[in-house]
């Protein structure tokens, strides 16, 4: 059961993370303002691949506030992570080692956990009852922040996250989706915002609310189906009903998600993947392929993931 939950969370992150990072790049200064509570000047966007193992953070920015420059390290987390402090403890020295400036880490949690969940904001290393190292970081909980409704249309990332924010009601979801569908953004941005709205709307308000909205607004389904998040949204819905669980259907959903991710990141490789994907029938292998595709940052990495799994 624990392994199944872990695999599900990994698949979720593999699909959602690339979309969140894409929207962060589109709406960087507003997301930074949300995370810090005040506007700062972004001086430079830095490479987020870190030394020692080529680990990649969600974002590293050189920012300036009141004449002081520092490195802002950001992490987006769909769910609260019990080992977040340990992870930050691993990130900060690497960021400092690479860029040689003081580091401030901020974690943005998207989905509200159970009331008994403890949200840590520091990591301590204690040896023989002596505190030998401490790393502190800021935590921003999206469910505690009210959206700026008057300006959502100007900020694709905030509009996508709106269903998870404080005070947003199920009755607002349809208006938010229409706002996203009609926004003057490029096609990928519009697709990703609508997909995240429906995905997070289903998580918070129930899939029935989202399904009813999609039926009323027929254009939404065409938009959503173009996103790699579509299969994940369907899976969330199935988890609330009796349709989930048939291995054949799950494999089909994983294959479709793999193809959708490849279409987004490396369209040239879709036909290659499509030709051989049916050869993989093992659910665990499909999940690993999906995770690798989600973590791939460019066409070369996508090609490598396909080669590893398809031989």
């Amino acid at each position: 059961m624990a392994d199944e939950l872990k695999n599900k969370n990994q698949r979720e992150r593999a699909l959602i993370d690339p979309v969140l990072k894409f929207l962060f790049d589109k709406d960087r200064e507003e997301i930074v303002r949300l995370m810090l509570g005040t506007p700062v000047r972004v001086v430079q966007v830095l490479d987020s691949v870190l030394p020692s193992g080529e680990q990649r953070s969600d974002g590293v920015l050189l920012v300036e506030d009141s004449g002081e420059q520092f490195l802002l390290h950001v992490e987006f987390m769909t769910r609260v992570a019990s080992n977040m402090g340990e992870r930050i403890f691993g990130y900060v020295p690497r960021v400092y080692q690479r860029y040689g400036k003081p580091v401030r880490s901020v974690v943005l949690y998207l989905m509200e956990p159970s009331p008994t969940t403890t949200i840590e904001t520091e990591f301590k290393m204690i040896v023989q009852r002596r505190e030998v190292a401490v790393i502190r970081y800021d935590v921003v909980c999206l469910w505690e922040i009210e959206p700026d409704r008057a300006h959502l249309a100007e900020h694709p990332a905030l509009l996508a996250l709106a269903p998870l924010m404080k005070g947003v009601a199920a009755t607002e979801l349809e208006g938010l989706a229409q706002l996203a569908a009609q926004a003057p953004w490029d096609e990928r941005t519009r697709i990703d915002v609508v997909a995240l709205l429906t995905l997070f709307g289903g998580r918070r308000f129930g899939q029935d609310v989202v399904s009813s909205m999609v039926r009323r607004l027929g254009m939404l389904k065409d938009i959503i189906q173009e996103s790699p998040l579509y299969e994940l949204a369907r899976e969330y819905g199935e988890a609330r009903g009796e349709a989930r669980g048939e291995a054949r259907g799950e494999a089909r959903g994983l294959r479709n998600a793999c193809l959708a991710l490849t279409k987004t990141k490396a369209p040239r490789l879709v036909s290659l993947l499509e030709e051989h994907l049916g050869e993989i029938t093992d659910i665990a292998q499909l999940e690993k392929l999906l995770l690798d595709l989600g973590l791939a940052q460019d066409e070369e990495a996508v090609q490598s993931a396909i080669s590893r799994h398809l031989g």
Side-chain angles (χ1 to χ4, degrees), residues 82-190:
S82 59
N83 67 336
M84 198 67 229
E86 182 179 343
R87 291 169 60 176
I88 297 294
F89 182 73
Y91 281 129
V92 170
R94 294 174 183 173
V95 175
Y96 180 78
Q97 178 186 354
R98 178 159 190 181
Y99 296 111
K101 286 186 178 290
V103 182
R104 178 180 177 182
S105 293
V106 185
V107 179
L108 176 63
Y109 284 128
L110 304 186
M111 294 183 182
E112 186 173 6
S114 70
T116 59
T117 300
T118 299
I119 300 178
E120 304 289 352
T121 58
E122 66 179 18
F123 176 84
K124 292 183 179 181
M125 183 178 290
I126 299 174
V127 179
Q128 293 183 315
R129 299 183 298 279
R130 180 184 176 190
E131 194 176 277
V132 297
V134 181
I135 288 287
R136 296 185 178 89
Y137 54 97
D138 297 308
V139 167
V140 177
C141 300
L142 194 63
W143 58 91
E144 295 177 351
I145 301 173
E146 291 202 20
D148 181 1
R149 289 173 173 80
H151 297 97
L152 284 178
E154 302 166 20
H155 301 292
L158 294 189
L159 181 54
L161 297 173
L164 300 176
M165 299 179 82
K166 183 178 180 180
V168 175
T171 52
E172 295 181 74
L173 193 60
E174 187 169 318
L176 294 173
Q178 286 181 313
L179 193 62
Q182 297 165 5
W185 303 323
D186 61 86
E187 185 180 10
R188 181 181 170 184
T189 300
R190 190 164 54 250

Side-chain angles (χ1 to χ4, degrees), residues 38-57:
T38 184
V40 297
R41 185 171 74 90
V42 177
V43 179
Q44 187 178 357
V45 180
L46 302 173
D47 189 352
S48 58
V49 176
L50 307 177
S52 303
E54 296 299 296
Q55 187 176 17
R56 179 181 291 273
S57 70

Side-chain angles (χ1 to χ4, degrees), residues 29 32-33 36 38-42 63-66 70 72:
E29 293 196 2
V32 168
R33 184 199 63 76
L36 298 183
T38 184
V40 297
R41 185 171 74 90
V42 177
V63 302
E64 183 175 309
D65 184 26
S66 302
F70 60 93
L72 179 64

Side-chain angles (χ1 to χ4, degrees), residues 269-289:
L269 300 176
V270 170
S271 59
L272 171 66
L273 179 62
E274 197 167 24
E275 183 179 351
H276 299 286
L277 194 56
E279 299 168 10
I280 303 179
T281 57
D282 181 67
I283 297 295
Q285 188 178 353
L286 284 168
E287 288 176 338
K288 289 177 183 176
L289 173 60

